[in-house]
Amino acid sequence: MNREEFLKARKKLGKTQRQLAELLCTSLKAIHSYEQGWRTIPASVERQILFLVSTKTGIVKEKIPCWAIKNCTVQYKSQCPAWELQAGEFCWFINGIICEGIVYKDWKEKIKVCRRCEVFATLL
């Protein structure tokens, strides 16, 4: 997540920098640093803010699971945590998912793929 996306997410949430700092359990200075590009946004902060945006913007209300959108095979679904947890709207949030036959164990690697996916596309 870059600084522009972070700022856009904060605005979608309708939060001031101080309010977002409280919501993310971080300092106001950290929020300033993320938005100015002085500090890299940690994966944990990125995941949390994306989750909050997804609930605020109503993306979850659509309830079209990722496996339906991506036409996953029974084999992939049976091994995927998103299927097991019936959390197809949050596949981008869950580590260890199987997407396109690949298990993504690292957030940075996984989120790059997710950003190109139609399940994630409406988030930011």
Side-chain angles (χ1 to χ4, degrees):
M1 174 174 273
N2 61 37
R3 67 186 197 90
E4 291 87 8
E5 291 171 328
F6 187 87
L7 177 60
K8 188 175 179 181
R10 178 174 64 81
K11 292 190 184 246
K12 276 191 173 188
L13 291 171
K15 299 293 182 188
T16 65
Q17 289 180 333
R18 182 174 307 283
Q19 290 169 327
L20 188 61
E22 291 169 0
L23 190 60
L24 297 175
C25 295
T26 192
S27 68
L28 179 58
K29 186 173 182 173
I31 300 299
H32 288 154
S33 295
Y34 301 152
E35 290 188 4
Q36 293 298 317
W38 299 332
R39 189 186 292 183
T40 302
I41 300 160
S44 59
V45 170
E46 179 180 14
R47 288 182 78 205
Q48 189 170 5
I49 200 164
L50 289 173
F51 176 79
L52 294 171
V53 168
S54 73
T55 59
K56 176 80 175 192
T57 59
I59 191 171
V60 176
K61 293 177 186 164
E62 293 177 20
K63 296 279 186 191
I64 303 170
C66 59
W67 53 84
I69 293 170
K70 303 296 274 182
N71 295 317
C72 291
T73 66
V74 173
Q75 179 185 4
Y76 290 161
K77 287 192 286 190
S78 68
Q79 298 172 15
C80 185
W83 169 262
E84 177 186 350
L85 299 168
Q86 292 296 293
E89 308 84 38
F90 292 109
C91 55
W92 53 267
F93 185 76
I94 302 168
N95 283 337
I97 64 161
I98 299 173
C99 194
E100 300 173 0
I102 301 168
V103 177
Y104 299 98
K105 295 180 181 176
D106 176 81
W107 171 260
K108 287 184 179 184
E109 177 186 314
K110 182 176 107 44
I111 199 65
K112 285 180 187 176
V113 173
C114 293
R115 287 178 177 277
R116 297 188 306 260
C117 178
E118 56 270 29
V119 177
F120 182 86
T122 58
L123 212 59
L124 289 177

